Amino acid sequence: MMKMNLKKLLAIGSASILAFSMTACSSSTTTATTAATTQAATAAAQTEAAAAQEAESKDTASTNATEKTEYNIAIVKQLDHASLDEIANAIEAQLDAIAAENGITINHTTYSGQNDQTTLKQIGDQAIADGVDAVIPIATLAAQVMTVCAEETQTPVVYAAISDPAAADLTGISYVTGTSDALNTDYILDMMTAVDDDIKTVGLLYSLSEANSATPIADAKAYLDAAGIAYTEQTANTNDEVITAVSALIADGVDAIFTPTDNVIMAAELAIYESLAEAGIPHYTGADSFVRNGAFATCGVNYTDLGSKTADLAFGAITEGMDNLEDYYLMDGGIITVNTETAEALGIDYSAYADMGELVEVVTTED
């Protein structure tokens, strides 16, 4: 009986040990599975948190970018004269209007390079060092110099009044755009023959230092050759040289003079217009600023409109980037401007111009 009880007890003990062993094994497996599940969940949570943090950072950066409320712009005139002053004034006015409309601050300062490349470079380098958001150069030399100054930082350069951007090497540059006042030379020469169909010789007056002048002078020569009209050239790079060149054209007995949008000649117009009027020689030019300073007539763009368009482009370049902007934007012309005082002194009837385009009559000013 004792023996049987002992065997039964041993059997029961063995069964208990086996049951415990199986329970322990099951518990170990469950613990390992739970740990693995917990570790995976933790990793997923960490990944999700990191993604959320990255998204929040991007949102914050985007918000900060769109919430910028103050900008700094340098406006750089090649030199002081009526057309460039008119453009600069229009740019300033439009930037102020943009700031008011958008509830932001646009600080702008206008500089003049006095037609000196070294001075322009100093202005450009300082503007870039000051961290301006954009540079707006007015006229070709200023645009060329500012493009070099901004090359390293890729600061947007949005130029104004470049007659031939391609000839000035201002196309195909990712951080450069602007407005062009490309001249319709043939139309201005049509104006010349419309009031005098007996022109024999035309004087071509321009500066070799002005890239703006190269193409329209070539166009003028082609037009005059085709029309069988002779021409003579005089070039100048300073006020005194312009005065001397005009004296030479008067001595040559030219019937009229053509000058494109040449800043050097423009700066000297007040010093030459009386001599030309007294000699009976009408001066046809590439911009209304010449005419306001005494030249006879022109057909070109409205420089106030050009300045406003340039300011709009500059603000777009700052806030939206340069990717969607064209190399340059050609402004519409077709505005004929006549100086009535000069016309009277020359005895020219310009009534034919009323049928050729929008006619604007002005008198001589020193602005």
Side-chain angles (χ1 to χ4, degrees):
M1 189 74 176
M2 287 271 305
K3 202 183 270 190
M4 288 179 60
N5 287 340
L6 181 59
K7 288 182 179 179
K8 186 176 181 179
L9 182 62
L10 289 173
I12 293 172
S14 297
S16 298
I17 291 170
L18 179 60
F20 177 78
S21 175
M22 290 178 67
T23 301
C25 182
S26 175
S27 176
S28 175
T29 301
T30 301
T31 301
T33 301
T34 301
T37 302
T38 301
Q39 186 175 6
T42 301
Q46 289 174 341
T47 301
E48 184 177 352
Q53 185 176 3
E54 182 179 358
E56 183 178 357
S57 297
K58 288 182 178 179
D59 288 343
T60 301
S62 176
T63 300
N64 289 341
T66 57
E67 288 182 355
K68 184 174 179 178
T69 59
E70 185 169 359
Y71 302 92
N72 298 298
I73 295 176
I75 304 166
V76 185
K77 295 185 295 181
Q78 181 170 317
L79 70 161
D80 298 313
H81 72 56
S83 286
L84 306 195
D85 294 344
E86 180 181 348
I87 294 167
N89 291 339
I91 291 170
E92 292 170 346
Q94 183 65 7
L95 289 176
D96 290 341
I98 292 170
E101 181 181 348
N102 291 277
I104 58 176
T105 299
I106 300 179
N107 303 308
H108 51 79
T109 304
T110 300
Y111 306 89
S112 174
Q114 301 302 327
N115 209 34
D116 181 79
Q117 185 169 341
T118 300
T119 302
L120 286 165
K121 183 70 163 55
Q122 291 171 344
I123 292 170
D125 285 343
Q126 187 60 57
I128 298 301
D130 289 342
V132 296
D133 296 290
V135 181
I136 304 178
I138 306 174
T140 302
L141 181 60
Q144 291 170 325
V145 174
M146 295 309 117
T147 297
V148 173
C149 292
E151 183 176 9
E152 183 175 347
T153 60
Q154 301 285 289
T155 300
V157 174
V158 184
Y159 55 73
I162 308 302
S163 296
D164 195 340
D169 295 324
L170 292 170
T171 57
I173 305 172
S174 62
Y175 60 96
V176 177
T177 188
T179 54
S180 172
D181 59 345
L183 195 62
N184 188 337
T185 302
D186 287 3
Y187 200 84
I188 294 176
L189 297 180
D190 284 344
M191 289 170 55
M192 189 182 292
T193 57
V195 297
D196 184 359
D197 59 5
D198 193 34
I199 288 180
K200 299 292 192 300
T201 305
V202 172
L204 303 177
L205 175 64
Y206 60 100
S207 169
L208 292 174
S209 65
E210 283 284 310
N212 277 344
S213 295
T215 297
I217 288 296
D219 291 343
K221 291 177 180 178
Y223 177 104
L224 295 170
D225 285 338
I229 299 173
Y231 56 84
T232 181
E233 299 176 69
Q234 287 289 335
T235 61
N237 291 311
T238 67
N239 272 31
D240 288 343
E241 290 179 1
V242 173
I243 294 170
T244 299
V246 166
S247 296
L249 290 173
I250 292 173
D252 287 341
V254 299
D255 300 304
I257 292 175
F258 168 69
T259 296
T261 49
D262 190 300
N263 292 297
V264 172
I265 309 303
M266 171 57 231
E269 187 64 40
L270 284 168
I272 62 175
Y273 82 94
E274 289 178 320
S275 297
L276 290 174
E278 290 171 3
I281 301 173
H283 190 189
Y284 294 84
T285 64
D288 62 359
S289 53
F290 290 80
V291 180
R292 295 176 194 279
N293 280 184
F296 169 57
T298 187
C299 181
V301 306
N302 181 308
Y303 279 120
T304 295
D305 291 345
L306 182 145
S308 296
K309 172 68 173 179
T310 306
D312 290 338
L313 285 174
F315 185 65
I318 292 171
T319 57
E320 300 173 14
M322 301 285 291
D323 290 346
N324 295 322
L325 296 179
E326 303 293 334
D327 264 349
Y328 63 90
Y329 295 81
L330 181 62
M331 298 297 294
D332 292 332
I335 300 174
I336 295 174
T337 305
V338 174
N339 187 310
T340 57
E341 294 174 339
T342 302
E344 183 177 358
L346 293 167
I348 294 179
D349 175 11
Y350 58 87
S351 57
Y353 294 163
D355 296 326
M356 295 180 68
E358 178 185 347
L359 179 60
V360 176
E361 298 175 319
V362 301
V363 296
T364 304
T365 68
E366 295 188 4
D367 297 335

